[in-house]
Amino acid sequence: RPVYTLTDHKAAVKALDWCPWSRGVLASGGGSADRSIKFWNAISGKMSRSIDTGSQVSALVWSKHSQQLCSSHGYRDNQLIVWDYPSMKNIQELKRHSGRVLNVDMSPDGSTIASIGGDETMMLWDVFGPPPRKSRGEGSFMMMGSSGFSGMSVIR
């Protein structure tokens, strides 16, 4: 049986992602009649914040190396929005899809987001930049150049 059942959304819950750098923080996004991103304390089961995005939320992905969240949206503007967290200040809007954005995923290095849309396209966005370099002695990872994407690419 569930530990918690969270029922504060007013429409279908379409997006969900765990914060990779803050224990117990879960973000969820609601559909057309809800249009919100809600933040949950998964340890207590309580909602900590809700923001109205103005359109349905189709996907969420947290940055792996900065305090930012990217949301994708459907009807009205069909865009991706990069938010500063926890202020939830809109940092950047990415509008190139002509149909609703259906889903997003992040590259393994955390620099590039891939989005797919109802417009039959997949777009690659250089959103978060390259991961920070590790200093000597912090592990074996070493930055060997850029992600290979400049800005945005479209695959159709």
Side-chain angles (χ1 to χ4, degrees):
R1 89 178 203 224
V3 175
Y4 299 111
T5 301
L6 310 172
T7 60
D8 291 307
H9 279 285
K10 296 177 177 78
V13 180
K14 298 192 162 237
L16 193 65
D17 200 27
W18 291 98
C19 180
W21 34 261
S22 187
R23 184 175 182 269
V25 175
L26 179 64
S28 62
S32 300
D34 185 86
R35 304 177 330 215
S36 71
I37 298 173
K38 297 188 185 312
F39 298 92
W40 306 91
N41 178 327
I43 297 164
S44 69
K46 300 209 184 302
M47 183 176 59
S48 58
R49 184 161 187 199
S50 179
I51 64 155
D52 186 347
T53 66
S55 61
Q56 65 178 261
V57 180
S58 56
L60 295 166
V61 63
W62 291 94
S63 170
K64 293 180 181 182
H65 51 266
S66 64
Q67 290 192 327
Q68 297 175 345
L69 175 70
C70 181
S71 58
S72 66
H73 300 269
Y75 296 115
R76 200 172 81 182
D77 291 323
N78 307 315
Q79 85 269 37
L80 283 75
I81 300 175
V82 180
W83 307 90
D84 179 65
Y85 181 83
S87 73
M88 292 310 289
K89 178 183 176 206
N90 179 331
I91 297 173
Q92 184 177 19
E93 292 191 26
L94 308 167
K95 298 180 181 182
R96 289 292 298 265
H97 281 284
S98 60
R100 69 182 176 153
V101 182
L102 300 173
N103 201 3
V104 297
D105 200 9
M106 186 179 304
S107 63
D109 73 354
S111 65
T112 305
I113 291 181
S115 62
I116 56 173
D119 57 3
E120 302 175 3
T121 62
M122 178 172 62
M123 297 186 188
L124 304 177
W125 307 86
D126 186 12
V127 175
F128 298 123
R133 289 179 174 259
K134 289 190 174 185
S135 63
R136 289 188 181 185
E138 277 192 59
S140 60
F141 176 80
M142 187 174 222
M143 187 66 181
M144 300 298 287
S146 70
S147 67
F149 301 110
S150 60
M152 187 271 309
S153 302
V154 177
I155 299 172
R156 183 161 189 170

